[in-house]
Amino acid sequence: MIGLKGTLNVSHSRPCGVGLTNYTQVIDNSGALLVECVNVLKQKVNNGWGGVGDEIVCVVKRARPVSAAQASGTAVKVRKGDVRRAVIVRTKKPVRRPDGRLIRFDDNAAVLLNNKRDMLGTRIGGVVSADLRMKGWGKIVSIAPKVWPL
């Protein structure tokens, strides 16, 4: 874009895909459906933006209703308003691979974690990025029904 005095203004793109106040789908069976990112953990370089494999702190905005039968059992309960940690498994923002390919997905998605950094749910219902394995989230990759790209 050309500025007022004829100089070239370069608009820098965001480094990664999920930032503060971004809404993200939850693709595990923990009970949450939609979460809002409130903090990206351990990211000094990307100025608060997180990519695939980064851990975030999020607030549950929409969750599945909990019935009375489920409340008495030992099922994992996630309610609206809960603050949880999650790991990003898909981003809309394209990520460049070392071989030059650009990888992007249709939406942002995350998997909820407990305090010990284990998965809160037991199943994953969607595609996850293959970059998770390189970032130390091999358990998520092994449980996922499809990993893209191979």
Side-chain angles (χ1 to χ4, degrees), residues 40-51:
V40 179
L41 299 175
K42 298 182 182 177
Q43 286 295 316
K44 303 289 185 192
V45 179
N46 290 338
N47 297 325
W49 291 91

Side-chain angles (χ1 to χ4, degrees), residues 32-124:
L33 297 172
L34 189 71
V35 294
E36 179 184 6
C37 175
V38 294
N39 191 11
V40 179
L41 299 175
K42 298 182 182 177
Q43 286 295 316
K44 303 289 185 192
V45 179
N46 290 338
N47 297 325
W49 291 91
V52 172
D54 290 337
E55 200 171 336
I56 61 173
V57 177
C58 54
V59 177
V60 177
K61 289 295 182 181
R62 200 167 63 209
R64 290 185 190 98
V66 178
S67 66
Q70 289 177 347
S72 63
T74 60
V76 177
K77 298 179 219 62
V78 177
R79 292 193 173 94
K80 181 179 174 181
D82 285 354
V83 178
R84 298 283 182 167
R85 288 187 178 197
V87 62
I88 302 169
V89 295
R90 292 194 303 246
T91 58
K92 278 182 161 181
K93 182 72 179 171
V95 177
R96 185 169 297 277
R97 289 283 178 84
D99 61 356
R101 291 185 293 174
L102 280 174
I103 306 299
R104 71 173 172 217
F105 295 94
D106 291 337
D107 60 347
N108 297 325
V111 172
L112 292 183
L113 305 173
N114 62 9
N115 293 336
K116 297 178 185 176
R117 295 185 69 199
D118 294 330
M119 288 179 41
L120 205 54
T122 56
R123 285 191 250 156
I124 293 179

Side-chain angles (χ1 to χ4, degrees), residues 5-57:
K5 296 186 178 183
T7 59
L8 184 63
N9 294 333
V10 178
S11 62
H12 297 286
S13 64
R14 297 178 186 127
C16 293
V18 176
L20 301 181
T21 70
N22 277 28
Y23 286 95
T24 304
Q25 290 184 359
V26 179
I27 60 169
D28 61 2
N29 64 344
S30 61
L33 297 172
L34 189 71
V35 294
E36 179 184 6
C37 175
V38 294
N39 191 11
V40 179
L41 299 175
K42 298 182 182 177
Q43 286 295 316
K44 303 289 185 192
V45 179
N46 290 338
N47 297 325
W49 291 91
V52 172
D54 290 337
E55 200 171 336
I56 61 173
V57 177

